[in-house]
mmCIF file of all heavy atoms in Angstrom:
data_model
loop_
_atom_site.group_PDB
_atom_site.id
_atom_site.type_symbol
_atom_site.label_atom_id
_atom_site.label_comp_id
_atom_site.label_asym_id
_atom_site.label_seq_id
_atom_site.Cartn_x
_atom_site.Cartn_y
_atom_site.Cartn_z
ATOM 1 N N LEU A 11 131.338 91.821 25.577
ATOM 2 C CA LEU A 11 130.573 90.579 25.920
ATOM 3 C C LEU A 11 131.196 89.344 25.415
ATOM 4 O O LEU A 11 130.962 88.233 25.908
ATOM 5 C CB LEU A 11 129.159 90.736 25.380
ATOM 6 C CG LEU A 11 128.304 91.823 25.975
ATOM 7 C CD1 LEU A 11 126.952 91.924 25.302
ATOM 8 C CD2 LEU A 11 128.110 91.606 27.494
ATOM 9 N N ASP A 12 132.031 89.400 24.361
ATOM 10 C CA ASP A 12 132.753 88.240 23.825
ATOM 11 C C ASP A 12 134.069 88.002 24.513
ATOM 12 O O ASP A 12 134.777 87.073 24.140
ATOM 13 C CB ASP A 12 132.988 88.454 22.314
ATOM 14 C CG ASP A 12 131.693 88.519 21.549
ATOM 15 O OD1 ASP A 12 130.689 87.790 21.945
ATOM 16 O OD2 ASP A 12 131.563 89.285 20.577
ATOM 17 N N GLY A 13 134.447 88.862 25.446
ATOM 18 C CA GLY A 13 135.714 88.680 26.169
ATOM 19 C C GLY A 13 136.897 89.395 25.601
ATOM 20 O O GLY A 13 138.015 89.316 26.144
ATOM 21 N N ALA A 14 136.706 90.152 24.520
ATOM 22 C CA ALA A 14 137.796 90.896 23.870
ATOM 23 C C ALA A 14 138.069 92.168 24.694
ATOM 24 O O ALA A 14 137.152 92.804 25.197
ATOM 25 C CB ALA A 14 137.460 91.232 22.449
ATOM 26 N N TYR A 15 139.346 92.528 24.802
ATOM 27 C CA TYR A 15 139.651 93.751 25.509
ATOM 28 C C TYR A 15 139.144 94.973 24.767
ATOM 29 O O TYR A 15 139.208 95.023 23.525
ATOM 30 C CB TYR A 15 141.179 93.893 25.651
ATOM 31 C CG TYR A 15 141.754 92.902 26.631
ATOM 32 C CD1 TYR A 15 142.476 91.799 26.197
ATOM 33 C CD2 TYR A 15 141.617 93.096 28.020
ATOM 34 C CE1 TYR A 15 142.989 90.853 27.101
ATOM 35 C CE2 TYR A 15 142.111 92.180 28.897
ATOM 36 C CZ TYR A 15 142.804 91.102 28.475
ATOM 37 O OH TYR A 15 143.314 90.167 29.347
ATOM 38 N N LEU A 16 138.617 95.967 25.488
ATOM 39 C CA LEU A 16 138.083 97.150 24.896
ATOM 40 C C LEU A 16 139.153 98.233 24.589
ATOM 41 O O LEU A 16 138.966 99.022 23.669
ATOM 42 C CB LEU A 16 137.033 97.762 25.834
ATOM 43 C CG LEU A 16 135.765 96.936 26.035
ATOM 44 C CD1 LEU A 16 134.880 97.612 27.077
ATOM 45 C CD2 LEU A 16 135.012 96.765 24.732
ATOM 46 N N HIS A 17 140.228 98.223 25.346
ATOM 47 C CA HIS A 17 141.260 99.242 25.240
ATOM 48 C C HIS A 17 142.617 98.604 25.222
ATOM 49 O O HIS A 17 142.823 97.544 25.823
ATOM 50 C CB HIS A 17 141.159 100.249 26.394
ATOM 51 C CG HIS A 17 139.779 100.736 26.634
ATOM 52 N ND1 HIS A 17 139.180 101.666 25.756
ATOM 53 C CD2 HIS A 17 138.898 100.492 27.551
ATOM 54 C CE1 HIS A 17 137.982 101.928 26.212
ATOM 55 N NE2 HIS A 17 137.732 101.230 27.310
ATOM 56 N N SER A 18 143.523 99.247 24.536
ATOM 57 C CA SER A 18 144.917 98.736 24.460
ATOM 58 C C SER A 18 145.826 99.693 25.194
ATOM 59 O O SER A 18 145.752 100.909 25.038
ATOM 60 C CB SER A 18 145.367 98.670 23.003
ATOM 61 O OG SER A 18 146.752 98.391 22.902
ATOM 62 N N PRO A 19 146.752 99.148 25.959
ATOM 63 C CA PRO A 19 147.783 100.039 26.635
ATOM 64 C C PRO A 19 148.607 100.813 25.577
ATOM 65 O O PRO A 19 149.122 101.863 25.967
ATOM 66 C CB PRO A 19 148.646 99.046 27.414
ATOM 67 C CG PRO A 19 147.806 97.832 27.604
ATOM 68 C CD PRO A 19 146.889 97.765 26.394
ATOM 69 N N ARG A 20 148.662 100.361 24.400
ATOM 70 C CA ARG A 20 149.352 101.111 23.334
ATOM 71 C C ARG A 20 148.774 102.503 23.109
ATOM 72 O O ARG A 20 149.472 103.420 22.676
ATOM 73 C CB ARG A 20 149.373 100.364 22.011
ATOM 74 C CG ARG A 20 150.330 99.211 21.931
ATOM 75 C CD ARG A 20 150.459 98.715 20.541
ATOM 76 N NE ARG A 20 150.953 97.368 20.635
ATOM 77 C CZ ARG A 20 150.334 96.291 20.193
ATOM 78 N NH1 ARG A 20 149.181 96.353 19.584
ATOM 79 N NH2 ARG A 20 150.850 95.068 20.381
ATOM 80 N N ASP A 21 147.506 102.619 23.451
ATOM 81 C CA ASP A 21 146.846 103.947 23.271
ATOM 82 C C ASP A 21 147.537 105.032 24.121
ATOM 83 O O ASP A 21 147.492 106.177 23.775
ATOM 84 C CB ASP A 21 145.375 103.865 23.646
ATOM 85 C CG ASP A 21 144.593 103.011 22.719
ATOM 86 O OD1 ASP A 21 145.059 102.756 21.587
ATOM 87 O OD2 ASP A 21 143.503 102.548 23.105
ATOM 88 N N LEU A 22 148.193 104.614 25.169
ATOM 89 C CA LEU A 22 148.838 105.564 26.094
ATOM 90 C C LEU A 22 150.048 106.255 25.518
ATOM 91 O O LEU A 22 150.551 107.218 26.088
ATOM 92 C CB LEU A 22 149.161 104.880 27.435
ATOM 93 C CG LEU A 22 147.971 104.353 28.208
ATOM 94 C CD1 LEU A 22 148.421 103.608 29.428
ATOM 95 C CD2 LEU A 22 147.044 105.492 28.615
ATOM 96 N N ILE A 23 150.585 105.748 24.414
ATOM 97 C CA ILE A 23 151.775 106.364 23.805
ATOM 98 C C ILE A 23 151.397 107.263 22.605
ATOM 99 O O ILE A 23 152.288 107.732 21.891
ATOM 100 C CB ILE A 23 152.843 105.319 23.411
ATOM 101 C CG1 ILE A 23 152.290 104.362 22.396
ATOM 102 C CG2 ILE A 23 153.366 104.596 24.638
ATOM 103 C CD1 ILE A 23 153.336 103.419 21.788
ATOM 104 N N ARG A 24 150.122 107.507 22.425
ATOM 105 C CA ARG A 24 149.726 108.392 21.348
ATOM 106 C C ARG A 24 150.233 109.827 21.678
ATOM 107 O O ARG A 24 150.306 110.214 22.835
ATOM 108 C CB ARG A 24 148.186 108.440 21.242
ATOM 109 C CG ARG A 24 147.590 107.145 20.793
ATOM 110 C CD ARG A 24 146.136 107.257 20.491
ATOM 111 N NE ARG A 24 145.446 108.252 21.339
ATOM 112 C CZ ARG A 24 144.329 108.027 22.021
ATOM 113 N NH1 ARG A 24 143.774 106.827 22.024
ATOM 114 N NH2 ARG A 24 143.764 108.966 22.742
ATOM 115 N N PRO A 25 150.624 110.556 20.623
ATOM 116 C CA PRO A 25 151.176 111.906 20.821
ATOM 117 C C PRO A 25 150.309 112.851 21.645
ATOM 118 O O PRO A 25 150.787 113.638 22.438
ATOM 119 C CB PRO A 25 151.367 112.434 19.389
ATOM 120 C CG PRO A 25 151.477 111.225 18.548
ATOM 121 C CD PRO A 25 150.604 110.160 19.225
ATOM 122 N N GLU A 26 148.961 112.717 21.478
ATOM 123 C CA GLU A 26 148.119 113.655 22.247
ATOM 124 C C GLU A 26 148.065 113.356 23.726
ATOM 125 O O GLU A 26 147.513 114.133 24.498
ATOM 126 C CB GLU A 26 146.696 113.671 21.616
ATOM 127 C CG GLU A 26 146.001 112.357 21.627
ATOM 128 C CD GLU A 26 146.166 111.520 20.398
ATOM 129 O OE1 GLU A 26 147.122 111.759 19.645
ATOM 130 O OE2 GLU A 26 145.351 110.643 20.131
ATOM 131 N N LEU A 27 148.644 112.212 24.126
ATOM 132 C CA LEU A 27 148.718 111.885 25.560
ATOM 133 C C LEU A 27 150.114 112.078 26.037
ATOM 134 O O LEU A 27 150.692 111.272 26.789
ATOM 135 C CB LEU A 27 148.268 110.435 25.774
ATOM 136 C CG LEU A 27 146.805 110.158 25.424
ATOM 137 C CD1 LEU A 27 146.475 108.663 25.661
ATOM 138 C CD2 LEU A 27 145.838 111.040 26.156
ATOM 139 N N GLY A 28 150.721 113.195 25.650
ATOM 140 C CA GLY A 28 152.106 113.444 25.963
ATOM 141 C C GLY A 28 152.399 114.085 27.324
ATOM 142 O O GLY A 28 153.563 114.441 27.612
ATOM 143 N N SER A 29 151.358 114.229 28.148
ATOM 144 C CA SER A 29 151.589 114.806 29.482
ATOM 145 C C SER A 29 150.889 113.945 30.518
ATOM 146 O O SER A 29 149.992 113.184 30.214
ATOM 147 C CB SER A 29 151.062 116.235 29.528
ATOM 148 O OG SER A 29 149.660 116.255 29.511
ATOM 149 N N ASP A 30 151.313 114.112 31.785
ATOM 150 C CA ASP A 30 150.678 113.381 32.843
ATOM 151 C C ASP A 30 149.203 113.717 32.913
ATOM 152 O O ASP A 30 148.358 112.838 33.116
ATOM 153 C CB ASP A 30 151.323 113.713 34.182
ATOM 154 C CG ASP A 30 152.734 113.212 34.288
ATOM 155 O OD1 ASP A 30 153.152 112.365 33.473
ATOM 156 O OD2 ASP A 30 153.413 113.686 35.242
ATOM 157 N N ARG A 31 148.877 114.964 32.741
ATOM 158 C CA ARG A 31 147.493 115.401 32.833
ATOM 159 C C ARG A 31 146.640 114.777 31.736
ATOM 160 O O ARG A 31 145.524 114.366 31.947
ATOM 161 C CB ARG A 31 147.395 116.941 32.780
ATOM 162 C CG ARG A 31 145.993 117.453 32.833
ATOM 163 C CD ARG A 31 146.024 118.939 32.887
ATOM 164 N NE ARG A 31 146.330 119.268 34.263
ATOM 165 C CZ ARG A 31 145.908 120.343 34.911
ATOM 166 N NH1 ARG A 31 145.195 121.190 34.278
ATOM 167 N NH2 ARG A 31 146.237 120.553 36.163
ATOM 168 N N ALA A 32 147.190 114.694 30.510
ATOM 169 C CA ALA A 32 146.459 114.133 29.386
ATOM 170 C C ALA A 32 146.172 112.656 29.621
ATOM 171 O O ALA A 32 145.122 112.195 29.336
ATOM 172 C CB ALA A 32 147.198 114.373 28.082
#
Side-chain angles (χ1 to χ4, degrees):
L11 295 175
D12 296 323
Y15 289 104
L16 294 174
H17 310 288
S18 170
R20 281 191 203 119
D21 293 341
L22 296 175
I23 60 172
R24 294 188 328 232
E26 60 268 22
L27 298 179
S29 71
D30 293 347
R31 180 174 281 211

